[in-house]
Amino acid sequence: MVVTQSAEKVITTLRERAAKIWEIDPEAVKWENGAAHPASPNAGQFEPLTLADTRGKGAADGWPDRRRRAAQYRRR
């Protein structure tokens, strides 16, 4: 159950990131087949965004760089 809830949280975050990239409402984004897609034609015409696509844009919107995060843990 914890794994399912964690996966749902990750998918919600990825949908929010795709919405931010596309500049649309997160409710207008669905996650299927490993990628974010517009939920309907009314949401816009966008190419699907995979996990890698959303992660690649993450540094600009708040996801810390993995190396920087690892360095923080080493300093403790």
Side-chain angles (χ1 to χ4, degrees), residues 38-50:
S40 72
N42 293 338
Q45 299 294 320
F46 303 103
E47 291 293 317
L49 291 174
T50 64

Side-chain angles (χ1 to χ4, degrees), residues 15-32:
R15 287 178 51 226
E16 290 169 352
R17 290 184 177 283
K20 189 172 185 176
I21 292 166
W22 292 332
E23 298 178 351
I24 63 174
D25 188 72
E27 297 300 317
V29 179
K30 63 181 178 179
W31 188 266
E32 69 180 24

Side-chain angles (χ1 to χ4, degrees), residues 7 9-15 17-18 21-22 30-37 47-59 61 63 66:
K9 285 182 184 179
V10 169
I11 289 170
T12 298
T13 301
L14 293 171
R15 287 178 51 226
R17 290 184 177 283
I21 292 166
W22 292 332
K30 63 181 178 179
W31 188 266
E32 69 180 24
N33 298 326
H37 300 268
E47 291 293 317
L49 291 174
T50 64
L51 173 65
D53 295 332
T54 58
R55 177 59 184 113
K57 313 245 184 325
D61 64 6
W63 275 20
R66 197 179 317 173

